[in-house]
């Protein structure tokens, strides 16, 4: 029996079982109509809250607030070129 105070190790087999159970729950939710495929995909995305239009450049040392850079898409030329 492993010691409770000892170091914790990653158990690959247990992680596989957890993922299999999660996939099974997801399939059941889809079958029951509790969630749409798109909602499920968004729920399972690791970076779902990542914004592509704003990026934190650094944190202000005095206030602790992030300084943001905005990246807005340009309209571009009507012929599809990037100019």
């Amino acid at each position: 029996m492993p010691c409770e105070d000892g170091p914790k190790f990653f158990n690959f087999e247990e992680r596989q079982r957890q993922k299999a159970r999660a996939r099974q729950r997801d399939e059941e939710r889809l079958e029951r109509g509790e969630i749409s495929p798109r909602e499920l995909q968004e729920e399972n995305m690791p970076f779902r809250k990542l914004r592509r239009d704003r990026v934190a450049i650094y944190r202000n040392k005095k206030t602790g607030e992030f300084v943001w850079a905005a990246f807005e898409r340009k309209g571009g030329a009507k012929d599809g070129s990037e100019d």
Side-chain angles (χ1 to χ4, degrees):
M1 184 170 180
C3 179
E4 295 296 322
D5 296 332
K8 304 226 186 288
F9 295 98
F10 182 77
N11 185 329
F12 184 74
E13 289 81 16
E14 178 59 27
R15 183 64 183 141
Q16 283 183 314
R17 287 189 290 273
Q18 290 171 350
K19 289 176 74 84
R21 286 191 300 267
R23 281 191 293 272
Q24 184 63 35
R25 277 192 307 270
D26 288 346
E27 289 177 16
E28 291 170 359
R29 291 171 63 203
L30 282 170
E31 288 174 7
R32 290 191 299 261
E34 292 178 11
I35 192 167
S36 73
R38 179 173 174 92
E39 290 169 330
L40 181 61
Q41 182 181 23
E42 289 175 1
E43 187 178 287
N44 288 334
M45 289 174 58
F47 301 107
R48 65 181 168 263
K49 294 183 180 181
L50 180 66
R51 291 189 58 169
R52 294 186 181 105
D53 61 337
R54 285 180 37 171
V55 176
I57 303 299
Y58 63 92
R59 185 176 278 197
N60 184 310
K61 291 181 182 179
K62 291 181 182 179
T63 64
E65 294 179 359
F66 285 105
V67 176
W68 298 90
F71 298 97
E72 296 181 24
R73 288 186 162 199
K74 294 182 180 179
K78 292 184 181 179
D79 64 356
S81 66
E82 292 292 320
D83 285 21

